[in-house]
Amino acid sequence: MPLKTWLLAIRPKTLPLAVASIVLGAASAGTVVPGILVLALLTALLLQIVSNLANDYGDGVRGTDGAERIGPVRVLASGQVSPLQLRRAMIQVTAASLASGLALLALALGCDVSAWLGFLLLGALSVLAALGYTLGRRPYGYLGLGDAAVFVFFGLVAVLGTGWLMRPELTATGGWAALVAGLLSMAVLNINNIRDMAGDRAAGKRTLALRLGLHRARAWQGAVLALAVLAAERLMTGWGYVALAGLWPLAQGFRLVLTREGAELNRALALTARGTLILTTGLALGLAAA
């Protein structure tokens, strides 16, 4: 498969969300172990790629990504890869994520059996969540549960899990950080689902945005962003105020959500992802320097 096609399949523009969650989780622990941080980032990125490949495959075989699609090109629906090629890619990247995750646990947990069991369970759930969004008989993305899953895995699991691997304790700082990362990830997914409402309706993909309807989905976007900013305020200290620079792209993205539809929301997606990365990186900088 050509490199250009692989890049379309893995969706590089979505990967900063995984980076943001891990970096913020590490900083919230109050101590950063470089080896654990690198392996946590690698594992999270691989799981995000698994999810993206599975989403391409699941929506492609169901016909959700049809000719009328207004979002980025999908490699299966556009005929650039075969279902077999995409399945093989999913298997390979899933195997790589498992290897990276096991190396992470070996480094962080040593011989702590009880901790191993807990994180192995979280790892298995993370893989199932990555695959189950659009795969299986009843993919949860088609039931309107994608937003909740994003909050849990990009927020609670990624942030609190990374923090625990750095320092085995749960803190209020970690809780606020998990809220920020989870809510902002939900905001990105909600824009994606508002943009795709027409196609999802035709394909029977009942996302939360579709269930709410356009006006309430827009209001929900505002509520999620407001809650994320309020949670972020609890973490701002010292250098952490650099995070305020992320508010401008978030606000610009929200303005587009309120006034635009369809393909014009691709710009809102990019702005919201950028604002998320800036805000969380700023918060992480402040926490690490505190």
Side-chain angles (χ1 to χ4, degrees):
M1 193 188 308
L3 177 60
K4 181 180 179 181
T5 302
W6 272 114
L7 290 175
L8 282 174
I10 67 175
R11 309 181 196 178
K13 291 183 179 180
T14 68
L15 301 183
L17 296 179
V19 173
S21 297
I22 298 302
V23 169
L24 190 54
S28 70
T31 181
V32 177
V33 182
I36 294 176
L37 177 59
V38 170
L39 285 171
L41 281 170
L42 178 60
T43 303
L45 287 169
L46 288 169
L47 285 171
Q48 179 66 51
I49 292 171
V50 170
S51 179
N52 291 345
L53 294 174
N55 182 253
D56 196 305
Y57 182 85
D59 282 346
V61 297
R62 283 183 168 81
T64 306
D65 292 335
E68 72 284 356
R69 178 177 172 77
I70 57 177
V73 174
R74 296 296 179 243
V75 296
L76 183 59
S78 63
Q80 296 183 56
V81 301
S82 68
L84 178 59
Q85 287 176 307
L86 200 50
R87 286 198 300 270
R88 285 176 175 170
M90 280 190 288
I91 292 170
Q92 291 166 354
V93 181
T94 299
S97 71
L98 292 174
S100 176
L102 289 172
L104 170 63
L105 296 184
L107 177 62
L109 302 179
C111 298
D112 189 338
V113 176
S114 61
W116 265 91
L117 292 175
F119 275 94
L120 284 174
L121 176 60
L122 284 178
L125 291 174
S126 297
V127 172
L128 290 174
L131 294 171
Y133 183 66
T134 58
L135 296 181
R137 287 189 174 184
R138 292 179 63 81
Y140 66 84
Y142 282 68
L143 303 175
L145 300 175
D147 302 74
V150 160
F151 178 80
V152 169
F153 288 98
F154 280 86
L156 302 181
V157 173
V159 175
L160 296 179
T162 301
W164 182 276
L165 291 173
M166 297 287 177
R167 175 182 290 176
E169 62 181 7
L170 296 176
T171 65
T173 298
W176 289 114
L179 279 175
V180 173
L183 288 167
L184 290 175
S185 297
M186 285 175 63
V188 171
L189 179 61
N190 190 52
I191 298 174
N192 181 86
N193 291 340
I194 292 174
R195 181 198 65 195
D196 294 343
M197 285 177 73
D200 288 344
R201 182 181 293 108
K205 188 176 183 179
R206 302 287 295 172
T207 62
L208 179 61
L210 191 57
R211 291 173 181 272
L212 289 173
L214 179 59
H215 297 301
R216 283 183 290 183
R218 285 170 165 171
W220 173 242
Q221 182 73 8
V224 169
L225 288 172
L227 289 172
V229 172
L230 288 173
E233 190 276 332
R234 300 299 299 265
L235 299 174
M236 288 183 189
T237 179
W239 283 101
Y241 284 97
V242 173
L244 293 173
L247 297 183
W248 176 249
L250 289 175
Q252 289 295 96
F254 183 50
R255 180 183 64 81
L256 291 174
V257 170
L258 292 177
T259 58
R260 300 289 189 271
E261 295 183 46
E264 293 179 278
L265 291 181
N266 287 331
R267 176 65 176 159
L269 270 171
L271 285 165
T272 306
R274 183 186 308 162
T276 295
L277 187 59
I278 294 171
L279 189 146
T280 53
T281 300
L283 292 177
L285 179 63
L287 291 171

